[in-house]
Amino acid sequence: MASTILTKSLLGRRLIHSSFSLSHKTPQIFTSLFHGRTFQKIADPIHTSYKTSQWVRCVVGTRANFSTQSLSLNEPVVSVDWLHANLREPDMKVLDASWYMPDEQRNPIQEYQVAHIPGALFFDVDGIADQTTNLPHMLPSEEAFAAAVSALGIENKDGLVVYDGKGIFSAARVWWMFRVFGHEKVWVLDGGLPRWRTSGYDVESSASGDAILKASAASEAIEKVYQGQTVGPITFQTKFQPHLVWTLEQVKSNIEDRTHEHIDARSKARFDGAAPEPRKGIKSGHVPGSKCIPFAQLLDSSQTLLPVDELKKRFDQEGISLESPVVTSCGTGVTACILALGLHRLGKSDVAVYDGSWTEWGANPETPVDSS
């Protein structure tokens, strides 16, 4: 049944082969709606659980009563222990928002199917994006975002925990996206899937295909909105927060006006123009007047967010006043959101992200560039 529905939802696209396989299953490979990428439908109608170690940690007698009201909106992350204790609560949803740089040659959809946190939905960072620009994973319209997350089964009443396969990376981008569209009940899983697995908690495969069907439906909904077609039902209402997202023109004006501290999350070598940009046709250097704090400096060795005192020290070292408004940027608007996440922990909940970031700025022949 799931295979029949899935085939229809993929609009009859033909089966293709893949070199990716599971050691004990014979998978079926389908072309997904996610921009030509492939995913696997494992030939097994039951979700398969995998132990991440020879033992499983149990939270006995410490289960907290779940309520999104009990979680602080000032704290942007939750621990794996907290999520494990509250995983099955009906008014909370977990999103796998894994995304990787092209040169990493990792497929987030395939990795999701092999192992994800039980019950997690897949959020396609490249798919739930503006379809009218060549810039990567730009923020979609309000209508498109509402249609996509509604297709995933998300409602405004839901509390959301977002994670990724690296620790804290692309999950921060999706945390920011929901906040841009007015949803405050969203948190990043501190340490992500790696921390979950090293803590001994179970993962599962996507054998039923239900989550993949929802992810495909979300991708279809985005396409329909941009094609002017009707979608529905809509279960998620947006409330756009324009102060959280900046355009190229705002960044350009800030060079003169200096109303905001501009922090760049790229590596120091890229910021200084000493290392080439990974994308062709992009100038090297940085926006005049901006400062550099590579996003990795906000994380510890286990890829969890640094505590408040250490975070504050990082910004103090670069001469950044937390009393001033801040805008962040990076290469494509992903790791800039990690800076926003760290600043949120320090009490700055109004940090803007330059969505187009250096890919837009560096490709424009008319934008000024500094290098060190």
Side-chain angles (χ1 to χ4, degrees):
M1 180 62 180
S3 296
T4 302
I5 298 172
L6 183 57
T7 303
K8 290 180 179 179
S9 73
L10 296 179
L11 307 178
R13 296 188 182 190
R14 64 184 179 85
L15 296 176
I16 63 172
H17 295 290
S18 170
S19 60
F20 184 83
S21 64
L22 295 178
S23 60
H24 67 295
K25 299 284 185 184
T26 301
Q28 294 174 293
I29 313 298
F30 296 91
T31 301
S32 79
L33 295 173
F34 310 135
H35 302 275
R37 287 178 283 171
T38 62
F39 66 85
Q40 297 178 307
K41 170 68 173 65
I42 303 169
D44 187 338
I46 302 173
H47 277 62
T48 304
S49 292
Y50 297 94
K51 294 289 191 283
T52 57
S53 68
Q54 293 181 347
W55 54 276
V56 180
R57 294 178 60 181
C58 296
V59 180
V60 180
T62 60
R63 180 180 176 83
N65 291 325
F66 176 78
S67 169
T68 55
Q69 299 302 319
S70 68
L71 287 173
S72 172
L73 297 179
N74 295 324
E75 178 54 60
V77 299
V78 296
S79 70
V80 295
D81 294 333
W82 184 92
L83 180 58
H84 181 263
N86 294 282
L87 189 59
R88 301 298 182 183
E89 296 298 335
D91 59 345
M92 184 183 70
K93 290 185 171 65
V94 180
L95 305 179
D96 183 326
S98 298
W99 175 89
Y100 305 104
M101 292 289 290
D103 61 359
E104 293 182 86
Q105 297 185 335
R106 294 178 64 176
N107 188 315
I109 303 169
Q110 290 181 336
E111 291 187 16
Y112 166 83
Q113 286 220 260
V114 172
H116 58 263
I117 292 174
L121 300 165
F122 183 78
F123 187 103
D124 185 17
V125 171
D126 280 333
I128 302 179
D130 186 355
Q131 305 293 302
T132 67
T133 177
N134 291 327
L135 293 171
H137 42 252
M138 290 284 283
L139 198 69
S141 68
E142 287 189 75
E143 183 183 2
F145 187 82
V149 300
S150 293
L152 287 174
I154 296 171
E155 303 178 32
N156 293 89
K157 68 179 179 61
D158 293 329
L160 305 175
V161 174
V162 192
Y163 74 89
D164 60 58
K166 296 187 77 169
I168 291 183
F169 190 63
S170 51
R173 167 77 185 185
V174 176
W175 167 82
W176 170 78
M177 290 174 71
F178 274 97
R179 294 186 65 248
V180 168
F181 290 116
H183 193 75
E184 293 189 342
K185 294 183 292 186
V186 58
W187 297 266
V188 170
L189 183 63
D190 210 9
L193 186 61
R195 184 64 173 259
W196 178 269
R197 300 189 75 164
T198 58
S199 296
Y201 294 137
D202 285 353
V203 295
E204 67 180 7
S205 72
S206 212
S208 74
D210 179 65
I212 294 298
L213 290 175
K214 288 182 177 179
S216 296
S219 187
E220 281 189 358
I222 283 276
E223 292 182 2
K224 285 182 178 180
V225 168
Y226 282 103
Q227 291 169 2
Q229 300 177 26
T230 301
V231 295
I234 301 300
T235 61
F236 185 92
Q237 304 298 323
T238 61
K239 187 177 181 181
F240 186 58
Q241 307 294 307
H243 65 286
L244 295 179
V245 54
W246 268 30
T247 64
L248 183 146
E249 291 303 320
Q250 287 173 292
V251 175
K252 189 180 293 184
S253 296
N254 192 60
I255 295 174
E256 298 296 329
D257 301 339
R258 299 294 176 94
T259 59
H260 287 60
E261 295 260 25
H262 183 165
I263 313 173
D264 192 323
R266 293 175 301 153
S267 69
K268 192 67 164 62
R270 288 173 65 187
F271 180 85
D272 289 341
E277 287 298 305
R279 293 171 176 81
K280 294 181 179 179
I282 307 296
K283 296 176 288 189
S284 295
H286 58 267
V287 176
S290 61
K291 298 176 181 178
C292 180
I293 298 183
F295 74 91
Q297 292 186 8
L298 272 57
L299 308 176
D300 65 16
S301 59
S302 63
Q303 300 302 297
T304 58
L305 193 62
L306 292 175
V308 168
D309 57 341
E310 293 186 42
L311 284 173
K312 189 174 186 306
K313 189 182 300 182
R314 294 289 189 275
F315 291 99
D316 288 343
Q317 288 170 346
E318 294 302 321
I320 294 167
S321 170
L322 296 179
E323 301 302 316
S324 302
V326 173
V327 59
T328 66
S329 66
C330 56
T332 64
V334 173
T335 58
C337 299
I338 299 176
L339 296 186
L341 191 78
L343 287 163
H344 194 101
R345 171 166 270 185
L346 293 176
K348 294 190 70 63
S349 60
D350 58 351
V351 174
V353 170
Y354 171 29
D355 197 20
S357 279
W358 193 254
T359 299
E360 180 180 42
W361 189 270
N364 190 318
E366 299 180 1
T367 51
V369 172
D370 276 355
S371 59
S372 298

